[in-house]
Amino acid sequence: MTTTTTRSRAGDPRRSDSRPPGVGGPLRQLVLRLHFYVGVLVGPFLLVAAVSGFFYALAPTIERVVYADQLTAASAAQNVPLAQQITTARTAHPELPVSRIVPGSDGSTTRVLFSDGSLPSDSHSRVVFVDPSDGAIRGDTVQYGSGQALPLRTWLSGVHRNLHLGEAGRLYSELAASWLAPLALAGLFLWWGRTRRAGASARKSTVLRPASLGSTLLRSALLRSAPGLTGRARQRSRHAVLGTWALVGMLVLSATGLTWSAYAGQRVSDLRSAMGWTTPTLSAQSPESSRSGSASDRAAGGHDGHEGHGSHDGAHGTAAAWTADDAGVALTGARTAGLTEPVQLVPPTGDGDLWRVQEVRRSWTPGPDAVSVDAATGGVVQALPFSDHPLAARLTDWGIRLHMGFLFGLANQLLLAAVAAALVVVIVRGYVLWWTRRPTRTGCLARPPARGAVLELLRRRPVVTLVGVTVVAAIGWAVPLLGISLAAFLVLDAILGLAARRVRG
């Protein structure tokens, strides 16, 4: 027996969103208006960030292919001592001091990094690749950031971070990251409300059995687009469903991206410092040393992070009296302490200082352990396991590696690329929805949903509304570009409203 149903106009998902204020609830009206404005105005910034982020997510894998000759040794054999490899690399740049060494392992070449004042910043280092199997130099280029980015990934990072426009360009990426989470959550709110109304309509219209209700609930659980829709309603449904599928990824990218931004990132750093959540560092000074405030107190990597997001590539100090043989002693001491290769060695920057050895961030591992080693004895002076870091510091490290595609290897990179691709499609569909909503006879652009929701909320729920405004203000302070742009939107919207009233007389 078939079920006869009739769909009310209120439950029709194809119905236009152009309703008078208060219909569907003032909160929904406010969220809809905000989603409309932010999507139209901030959409271009998000689109650029998503497209560049797609390629940046895959950059580590692309890099291994493009620079395979430099990164890959002739064999996995370790036939040449580390000291000899360092000496060979120094012949390429005898005028530059060595800043770091990453010994080759598992068939990779050894990286010997040099401080070079002619490069754009301390985050850049000259790097020479030496084959540990035969001692030959395999390449000589520039490395950037603690992520060991070579020129291709460095360029992609620059596009994603600031469009290669310097500090001013960073505003675009921070604005995009600031609005990504609110925009996605607003979309989820609108989609969920529409789904609930469709479910309620199905329940009311069912005559004999709840087949349509079960279908609606199952479709909602699977986040599938409603069947039978055409035109703009179909585009809107696909826009909402895809955005909901990618929601978690968008929230993660927004949160982790903001930690490296200029203004919100500074808020995060201030909070971590105030709460004692900073990443602990190794001291390069030996116990007998009486020096204080030395530049060598910096960590052997510490909380570096995304290339160019305020990170530094390592120690850049005055060359100390150390020999290439000392590097081998430090490496042996680190292995004895339980560190797993690949590791990075930071030479002493002052006489009597210690070698600092830290594991290179790898996929599918909790985080890098570090030790300081006295090259005179080969003994470990200080150990700093990652498990001893504060929880906030560990979360920061995981967030960095997740955002950069390092935490879970290729799976991480493919997931990031999928989220970026989904965001591109959602943005494009959003603009299609905006364009198809325009009045076709006048040729004007689509008008936003009606005003008046805030005043209606204040009338109905004054206390709750004021609490909400306070929370939003606090979030705007913590994420400055979000707060400033939201305030600008409200002011502009109020001015346009007053102007429209005067025109109407």
Side-chain angles (χ1 to χ4, degrees), residues 220-401:
S220 300
L222 297 177
L223 301 182
R224 292 176 54 193
S225 177
L229 300 180
T230 58
R232 185 175 183 276
R234 185 180 184 183
Q235 285 287 347
R236 182 177 57 197
S237 180
R238 290 182 173 181
H239 170 82
V241 169
L242 183 58
T244 304
W245 270 110
L247 176 69
V248 174
M250 293 180 190
L251 296 180
V252 170
L253 289 177
S254 176
T256 55
L258 284 174
T259 60
W260 294 305
S261 61
Y263 300 103
Q266 186 60 49
R267 294 277 198 265
V268 174
S269 298
D270 293 343
L271 176 63
R272 292 182 62 198
S273 298
M275 301 298 293
W277 294 342
T278 56
T279 302
T281 62
L282 285 173
S283 173
Q285 295 180 344
S286 62
E288 296 80 12
S289 176
S290 60
R291 294 184 300 274
S292 62
S294 171
S296 61
D297 279 337
R298 288 178 294 179
H303 167 53
D304 290 312
H306 201 313
E307 289 80 19
H309 289 274
S311 66
H312 295 279
D313 193 32
H316 292 270
T318 304
W322 60 272
T323 67
D325 290 328
D326 292 344
V329 174
L331 179 59
T332 301
R335 288 170 175 166
T336 303
L339 266 64
T340 304
E341 296 183 78
V343 297
Q344 61 178 12
L345 310 171
V346 179
T349 54
D351 294 334
D353 282 356
L354 305 172
W355 283 75
R356 289 158 292 158
V357 187
Q358 178 175 290
E359 293 174 337
V360 174
R361 292 186 176 100
R362 306 182 310 282
S363 301
W364 304 101
T365 59
D369 296 336
V371 297
S372 57
V373 180
D374 187 348
T377 63
V380 173
V381 176
Q382 180 187 4
L384 185 59
F386 183 76
S387 58
D388 286 353
H389 291 199
L391 177 60
R394 281 179 281 161
L395 291 174
T396 300
D397 183 90
W398 295 332
I400 288 171
R401 289 190 287 158

Side-chain angles (χ1 to χ4, degrees), residues 411-432:
N412 194 165
Q413 297 167 30
L414 293 176
L415 182 60
L416 290 176
V419 173
L423 181 56
V424 170
V425 175
V426 167
I427 293 170
V428 172
R429 281 180 176 166
Y431 276 110
V432 170

